[in-house]
Amino acid sequence: ALLEPARQRSDMKVTHVAARDPAREAEFAQAHGLQAAGGYEALIALDDLDLIYIALPPSGHCEWSIKALEAGKAVLCEKPFSTSGEEAEKMVEASQRTGQPLIEAFHYRFHPTLLRAEQLLREQALGPLIGASANFCIVIPEEAGEFRWDAELGGGAFMDVGCYPFHVLRTLIGSEPELLGASATYRNGVEAEGEARLNFDASVPATARCSMVATDRRLDVEIMGEKGRLSISNFIVPHFGGVLTLETEAGTITEEPDPVSTYAAQLEHVAQVVLHGAKSLTGGQDAIANMRLIEAGRAAARGHRSPA
């Protein structure tokens, strides 16, 4: 997802890869024309790298983001940002202390379709908002080594897929919600699926749903206002059919997605931040707030725990 769009750019080049297993590291390096760094510590110690992409399970995000930042590297860290709000605060503090950018890799956030939806809402296309919902419901196979089903590695539906509905609702509505309640079903010690009820600005109820066992695949978001409704059929990867629909009294407008991939759009944003000093759309207080909301949702769901 990242290597291909990076190869299309003249202002960045992926050069090294690191893994815990030297054999896997060497295999990946050879397959993609990279250099094997010799482990994580060796990678962040290299003096000719500007940016480290951390694609580890969430349990490794805090430690290695901070180490990379302290080594003078900018960081693109996979979602969810960390395993807790406390970890997120430590990561953001390290970014501020070192002066190095720390960007959360919510790739969907940088796509033209999402930016268009954000623009329409800021222009009051729907008038005062009255409700919203977002869903990321898919099947993640319960296979050996799949970190999303491993609590110690930061797995679980609220973490891996739920972080997106929480984030897109916060982004499009433009404020922080109150958590009214949450529920979940569990397998192997993690949420198999979950739902959170939110309230934005004391008057905009919203629902965030996530699942790793869904028979009905959903990756949509809907925002409702007094003047109409805005929806994106696939906000996660809109370049795969994420149609934006705006319905108002003036009629219905549908906009097909820009064909640029979310990962290419993400790399463009990263380049603007790292090379040109632009302000990042993710990370910072946004990342802390999202992790705090995930934490609160998980805690509330445990109070309404039911077996799968």
Side-chain angles (χ1 to χ4, degrees):
L2 286 179
L3 288 172
E4 287 305 318
R7 290 190 179 106
Q8 305 305 313
R9 302 187 63 95
S10 61
D11 56 359
M12 63 176 64
K13 182 179 181 181
V14 182
T15 60
H16 292 75
V17 65
R20 290 172 300 157
D21 182 344
R24 290 178 62 242
E25 179 183 287
E27 180 182 1
F28 189 93
Q30 183 176 13
H32 297 284
L34 306 176
Q35 298 180 56
Y40 303 154
E41 292 281 5
L43 178 70
I44 64 175
L46 293 171
D47 60 9
D48 59 346
L49 297 183
D50 304 298
L51 172 74
I52 305 294
Y53 170 50
I54 296 180
L56 303 172
S59 58
H61 290 182
C62 181
E63 175 186 0
W64 291 104
S65 289
I66 291 175
K67 286 183 175 180
L69 291 165
E70 291 178 340
K73 309 298 193 293
V75 172
L76 175 63
C77 179
E78 261 306 326
K79 40 57 56 182
F81 195 62
S82 59
T83 61
S84 68
E86 181 180 3
E87 281 192 348
E89 289 181 350
K90 292 178 180 178
M91 294 161 68
V92 171
E93 186 279 328
S95 173
Q96 295 171 340
R97 171 167 44 84
T98 61
Q100 292 294 334
L102 173 57
I103 306 166
E104 185 171 12
F106 266 127
H107 57 95
Y108 88 94
R109 175 69 177 95
F110 314 106
H111 193 271
T113 295
L114 196 284
L115 300 178
R116 172 64 172 154
E118 187 178 24
Q119 175 192 14
L120 288 168
L121 291 168
R122 298 299 175 266
E123 293 174 349
Q124 299 292 308
L126 302 181
L129 302 184
I130 59 174
S133 65
N135 304 279
F136 191 1
C137 303
I138 56 175
V139 173
I140 297 179
E142 297 179 62
E143 299 174 345
E146 175 52 75
F147 76 85
R148 296 164 181 86
W149 287 102
D150 189 329
E152 290 188 1
L153 295 179
F158 275 116
M159 288 283 284
D160 188 69
V161 287
C163 62
Y164 284 96
F166 283 142
H167 194 262
V168 75
L169 290 171
R170 293 178 48 251
T171 297
L172 292 181
I173 295 173
S175 62
E176 298 301 336
E178 174 190 5
L179 178 71
L180 301 180
S183 60
T185 59
Y186 295 81
R187 293 185 190 175
N188 301 324
V190 300
E191 312 96 13
E193 53 189 0
E195 177 178 311
R197 294 179 291 107
L198 310 172
N199 193 19
F200 288 84
D201 303 319
S203 61
V204 184
T207 304
R209 299 183 183 89
C210 56
S211 178
M212 304 194 297
V213 293
T215 56
D216 181 19
R217 180 182 174 90
R218 296 190 63 179
L219 305 94
D220 58 291
V221 59
E222 178 181 76
I223 310 292
M224 293 166 287
E226 292 182 0
K227 295 182 179 180
R229 182 180 76 98
L230 182 149
S231 64
I232 304 174
S233 59
N234 181 350
F235 78 91
I236 305 294
V237 279
H239 53 291
F240 292 139
V243 176
L244 185 154
T245 302
L246 177 65
E247 302 173 57
T248 66
E249 292 182 354
T252 298
I253 299 172
T254 59
E255 298 183 4
E256 296 295 325
D258 188 306
V260 65
S261 78
T262 52
Y263 297 98
Q266 177 173 259
L267 284 182
E268 171 60 26
H269 183 72
V270 168
Q272 291 301 316
V273 172
V274 175
L275 299 177
H276 305 292
K279 182 179 179 180
S280 177
L281 292 176
T282 61
Q285 292 303 311
D286 174 67
I288 294 172
N290 214 57
M291 286 311 308
R292 290 292 187 197
L293 185 56
I294 293 170
E295 270 190 316
R298 300 186 93 186
R302 284 193 291 271
H304 296 82
R305 186 177 184 127
S306 60

